[in-house]
Amino acid sequence: MNSQGPLLLLAVIWMVLAAMAAPAAGQAKPGCPDSCGDVSIPYPFGTREDCYLNEEFLITCDNSTSLPKAFLTEGNINVTNISLDGELHLLSLIAHNCYNRNGTLQDNLEPYFRLSIFSISGTLNKFVAVGCDTYALLSGYQGEDLYRTGCMSICSSKKQVQDGSCSGAGCCQISFPEGLKNTTLILSSYFNHTEVHDFNPCSYAFIVEEAAFNFSSKNLSNLQDIEKLPMVVDWSIGNETCQVAKTNQTSYACKENSTCYESNSRPGYLCKCFDGYHGNPYLDGCQDIDECKNSSLNKCVKKARCKNTPGNYTCSCSKGYHGDGRDDGDGCNPNELQLIQVSLGMIFFFALSILLKR
Ligand SMILES: *[C@@H]1O[C@H](CO)[C@@H](O)[C@H](O)[C@H]1NC(C)=O
Ligand SMILES: *[C@@H]1O[C@H](CO)[C@@H](O)[C@H](O)[C@H]1NC(C)=O
Ligand SMILES: *[C@@H]1O[C@H](CO)[C@@H](O)[C@H](O)[C@H]1NC(C)=O
Ligand SMILES: *[C@@H]1O[C@H](CO)[C@@H](O)[C@H](O)[C@H]1NC(C)=O
Ligand SMILES: *[C@@H]1O[C@H](CO)[C@@H](O)[C@H](O)[C@H]1NC(C)=O
Ligand SMILES: *[C@@H]1O[C@H](CO)[C@@H](O)[C@H](O)[C@H]1NC(C)=O
Ligand SMILES: *[C@@H]1O[C@H](CO)[C@@H](O)[C@H](O)[C@H]1NC(C)=O
Ligand SMILES: *[C@@H]1O[C@H](CO)[C@@H](O)[C@H](O)[C@H]1NC(C)=O
Ligand SMILES: *[C@@H]1O[C@H](CO)[C@@H](O)[C@H](O)[C@H]1NC(C)=O
Ligand SMILES: *[C@@H]1O[C@H](CO)[C@@H](O)[C@H](O)[C@H]1NC(C)=O
Ligand SMILES: *[C@@H]1O[C@H](CO)[C@@H](O)[C@H](O)[C@H]1NC(C)=O
Ligand SMILES: *[C@@H]1O[C@H](CO)[C@@H](O)[C@H](O)[C@H]1NC(C)=O
């Protein structure tokens, strides 16, 4: 018999138990799926009635494939990450116009983003167009007003296009304001790509998370293989300010130990845990973090005693030491009185032993 057998079994049991204990406070309503594939779905989002706050927070889970996919409401927009601080990461379609050598339009797509309560983040995304005979228009609504902007990308040879430079030759990019809704991307061309067809038969336009796109001259042709790119949208609860929302405690979304703040990109509000608390502020409220359980969460020196308090912790030095007990403060130092007593004692002892030796 292998003597390591029982040990191994114990290790496995321990690992299974640890894994079961690992998921922190529930992020979804009890009885509701808290993830779809590798996307976790925290409340106020949910996959069905009674799981979401209201149907605007519906995430559809297509679990017909081995790796289930999450979609925004009923749309064809893949969701890749949901964060409770008002950001949602998703994949959005690329607009393209592809031409034949003789200049007839062969294939085109001009996506439209309705996005229910969400709006496209103006700080984290850019509007980008790629092509050598391309002008692209971004058209959307800011409240009731139509907002339009666009950029143009022209080049006559591949030599003019530089990797990493998106400033008008082969690639152009612009920023746009916060809060755009009902947005559509429109592409046009001056000569239907007839003069650049050898190296660039298509025009492309997309809204992309700025950090996720770095232009390369190869993109003039290889974007054809890509259907979607990452984009960030903002979400919030309702369309009221915190002050107004608080007046109706039945509909107010921020639970115990959390505070309300207003989205700076759109109407409505968000909730966050008080400092020193964690959890889901929209679900059962936030719980105190025990900073003393984990030395990386507190700044008490080794000699000090750490005591958890609601929202914070204190460090106190043991008897005979003084100071604030913090490693960013003055730590714990032996009391002077005691130091004097000890040194006096030692001097006395030495003196005595010298005297006695004589
Ligand atoms: C797939 O999703 C449906 C509806 O969300 C659910 O009823 C079903 O149990 C899910 N199946 C699996 C294998 O997760
Ligand atoms: C996004 O959804 C489409 C189905 O519409 C699927 O084919 C594709 O693999 C998904 N992409 C990701 C990254 O999940
Ligand atoms: C999702 O977003 C959160 C918060 O922004 C981040 O901590 C986490 O790593 C992200 N998850 C994935 C899979 O990208
Ligand atoms: C352009 O080319 C396509 C096929 O490549 C052909 O079907 C079409 O008739 C042509 N159009 C003109 C105006 O020549
Ligand atoms: C360019 O394409 C558009 C749309 O397909 C078409 O109406 C127009 O006649 C074309 N122009 C040329 C010069 O081929
Ligand atoms: C973008 O690509 C260029 C050239 O391919 C490279 O020099 C640069 O470091 C890249 N920048 C980022 C932010 O990835
Ligand atoms: C956006 O589109 C929806 C549906 O087409 C419409 O009900 C809504 O009024 C539009 N919003 C704006 C600001 O145009
Ligand atoms: C642009 O081209 C580079 C180099 O081939 C590639 O790594 C990158 O994925 C392309 N970007 C997109 C969005 O297709
Ligand atoms: C706020 O939302 C409510 C309900 O969705 C709607 O009736 C109301 O018109 C909205 N108010 C504003 C100022 O948009
Ligand atoms: C408070 O919110 C609840 C739930 O949304 C709603 O039914 C009720 O009418 C609201 N009360 C007031 C005074 O607006
Ligand atoms: C915790 O207490 C320390 C010292 O009193 C203070 O500096 C710090 O801001 C407090 N932290 C929180 C999250 O309240
Ligand atoms: C809120 O914080 C207080 C003090 O830490 C705690 O007693 C209470 O249980 C917390 N509420 C919830 C819902 O965890």
Side-chain angles (χ1 to χ4, degrees):
M1 260 296 285
N2 184 348
S3 65
Q4 284 183 333
L7 259 178
L8 215 67
L9 190 70
L10 268 178
V12 168
I13 290 174
W14 182 83
M15 269 154 65
V16 168
L17 285 177
M20 277 164 65
Q27 292 288 298
K29 270 197 170 179
C32 293
D34 64 355
S35 67
C36 173
D38 50 13
V39 180
S40 59
I41 305 177
Y43 189 78
F45 294 87
T47 54
R48 55 169 190 260
E49 214 182 325
D50 298 328
C51 286
Y52 48 65
L53 176 66
N54 60 53
E55 56 195 17
E56 291 165 328
F57 290 95
L58 169 66
I59 300 287
T60 309
C61 189
D62 172 5
N63 55 14
S64 61
T65 54
S66 59
L67 184 65
K69 293 185 169 63
F71 294 97
L72 201 58
T73 57
E74 72 286 354
N76 61 348
I77 299 174
N78 311 46
V79 174
T80 55
N81 197 359
I82 301 174
S83 79
L84 289 181
D85 59 9
E87 271 179 21
L88 196 83
H89 290 250
L90 41 82
L91 296 177
S92 78
L93 286 167
I94 300 180
H96 66 256
N97 264 6
C98 290
Y99 295 86
N100 282 331
R101 190 163 292 280
N102 61 16
T104 49
L105 192 61
Q106 187 188 346
D107 185 17
N108 94 313
L109 177 73
E110 290 181 338
Y112 173 66
F113 310 115
R114 200 159 79 79
L115 295 175
S116 89
I117 51 162
F118 306 94
S119 52
I120 302 171
S121 168
T123 40
L124 295 170
N125 302 296
K126 282 274 188 293
F127 176 56
V128 179
V130 171
C132 279
D133 180 7
T134 302
Y135 61 93
L137 203 64
L138 169 73
S139 172
Y141 282 88
Q142 255 186 321
E144 298 299 305
D145 302 323
L146 183 60
Y147 175 90
R148 279 189 183 134
T149 186
C151 73
M152 186 183 294
S153 171
I154 306 283
C155 44
S156 56
S157 78
K158 222 175 170 172
K159 281 199 299 275
Q160 294 172 340
V161 183
Q162 274 174 22
D163 287 351
S165 158
C166 189
S167 48
C171 177
C172 65
Q173 66 175 31
I174 50 171
S175 34
F176 51 86
E178 293 288 4
L180 286 189
K181 309 204 52 156
N182 290 10
T183 305
T184 179
L185 310 181
I186 301 158
L187 277 167
S188 280
S189 166
Y190 287 102
F191 307 108
N192 291 7
H193 285 253
T194 47
E195 296 176 4
V196 294
H197 193 274
D198 286 343
F199 60 96
N200 174 231
C202 302
S203 287
Y204 304 96
F206 43 87
I207 294 169
V208 67
E209 190 179 352
E210 193 173 6
F213 181 69
N214 188 6
F215 177 67
S216 148
S217 58
K218 294 199 181 72
N219 297 141
L220 287 173
S221 46
N222 72 12
L223 269 171
Q224 210 156 0
D225 309 327
I226 291 183
E227 196 194 5
K228 295 176 176 181
L229 283 173
M231 173 165 107
V232 188
V233 299
D234 297 323
W235 62 271
S236 60
I237 307 263
N239 57 9
E240 293 159 334
T241 61
C242 286
Q243 208 185 354
V244 174
K246 270 175 201 162
T247 57
N248 187 345
Q249 283 295 326
T250 4
S251 60
Y252 184 51
C254 304
K255 301 289 188 268
E256 215 179 318
N257 298 328
S258 77
T259 176
C260 177
Y261 67 105
E262 272 143 42
S263 165
N264 50 23
S265 62
R266 45 175 293 110
Y269 64 94
L270 294 157
C271 312
K272 70 165 184 236
C273 291
F274 288 153
D275 287 344
Y277 286 77
H278 65 174
N280 185 333
Y282 304 95
L283 193 54
D284 354 274
C286 305
Q287 293 78 44
D288 180 40
I289 299 170
D290 188 347
E291 291 87 354
C292 297
K293 270 196 178 154
N294 183 338
S295 61
S296 69
L297 296 177
N298 69 66
K299 289 189 166 150
C300 297
V301 295
K302 280 214 186 72
K303 280 205 189 80
R305 206 166 61 90
C306 178
K307 185 166 175 283
N308 187 44
T309 64
N312 211 334
Y313 64 96
T314 56
C315 310
S316 50
C317 297
S318 40
K319 226 178 146 213
Y321 290 86
H322 72 279
D324 63 6
R326 300 172 66 95
D327 55 17
D328 60 348
D330 33 61
C332 286
N333 302 300
N335 285 341
E336 265 159 50
L337 189 62
Q338 210 156 20
L339 205 68
I340 291 169
Q341 279 171 351
V342 168
S343 22
L344 273 181
M346 274 163 70
I347 290 169
F348 182 73
F349 178 79
F350 274 114
L352 203 68
S353 58
I354 288 165
L355 274 175
L356 284 178
K357 264 187 191 164
R358 285 206 169 156

